[in-house]
Amino acid sequence: MIISSVYNCPVIELPINHREKGNLTVVSNGKTIPFDIRRIYYLYDIPAGESRGGHAHKELMQLIVAASGSFSVVLFDGRVRRTITLNRPFYGLLVVPGIWRELDDFSSGSICLVLASHKYDEKDYIRDYQEYLTWKK
Ligand code: TYD
């Protein structure tokens, strides 16, 4: 069973294939991350001052990567709040299930790449903060 704590959400250093012509990073199922990727999506063109997220997932695991630029991820597990700034494409924040998250401080032109363990399922979301606190108890 996965412990749903902010302390269980590490920043994973992803491998870099260095070349004179630039770098390449690969994320492989079962090797780099502890889940199989079933979906990817990315956030971009985020207006200055805007925040995203504001929900938790019951089952979904995600790896969040600043593919370009930077942003902050605020994690909350019902007891502890932790803020992580992502600003390089070779770091990925693993978010385990049951964590409330908000993303903000997006730099201009930033791209937030998300690798997810399941297909999109609105039933997996908890979007109401009070409901989340109750669910966590
Ligand atoms: P949401 O996950 O709430 O975005 P964020 O956390 O970045 O603010 O999703 C925003 C909208 O996009 C919502 O109406 C659901 C839809 N959506 C999909 O249809 N498929 C997906 O895979 C995702 C992530 C979102």
Side-chain angles (χ1 to χ4, degrees):
M1 201 196 116
I2 299 159
I3 300 164
S4 181
S5 153
V6 295
Y7 298 119
N8 210 20
C9 297
V11 174
I12 298 173
E13 189 164 351
L14 305 169
I16 308 171
N17 186 312
H18 292 279
R19 289 282 186 271
E20 280 171 20
K21 291 191 281 184
N23 298 333
L24 181 151
T25 287
V26 180
V27 180
S28 300
N29 284 345
K31 196 170 170 190
T32 331
I33 49 172
F35 63 85
D36 281 351
I37 300 161
R38 295 212 176 78
R39 176 171 52 116
I40 67 166
Y41 62 91
Y42 36 98
L43 308 173
Y44 54 96
D45 289 350
I46 297 145
E50 200 55 77
S51 68
R52 302 291 305 236
H55 60 251
H57 288 280
K58 296 174 190 167
E59 304 272 336
L60 191 73
M61 286 186 87
Q62 293 165 305
L63 188 81
I64 302 180
V65 177
S68 184
S70 65
F71 51 84
S72 294
V73 186
V74 183
L75 301 178
F76 180 61
D77 60 16
R79 296 192 336 167
V80 178
R81 202 172 297 278
R82 215 179 121 213
T83 301
I84 295 104
T85 298
L86 294 173
N87 54 16
R88 300 294 282 143
F90 50 82
Y91 288 121
L93 172 65
L94 181 74
V95 183
V96 297
I99 304 288
W100 188 268
R101 91 287 312 275
E102 280 166 28
L103 286 73
D104 55 22
D105 286 338
F106 289 92
S107 68
S108 171
S110 59
I111 300 174
C112 170
L113 173 66
V114 182
L115 313 181
S117 63
H118 292 82
K119 291 180 184 170
Y120 173 72
D121 177 6
E122 187 58 37
K123 292 193 293 300
D124 188 63
Y125 281 76
I126 303 174
R127 294 191 182 273
D128 182 84
Y129 189 64
Q130 285 307 320
E131 188 186 328
Y132 171 71
L133 295 177
T134 306
W135 182 79
K136 272 304 239 185
K137 281 181 189 157

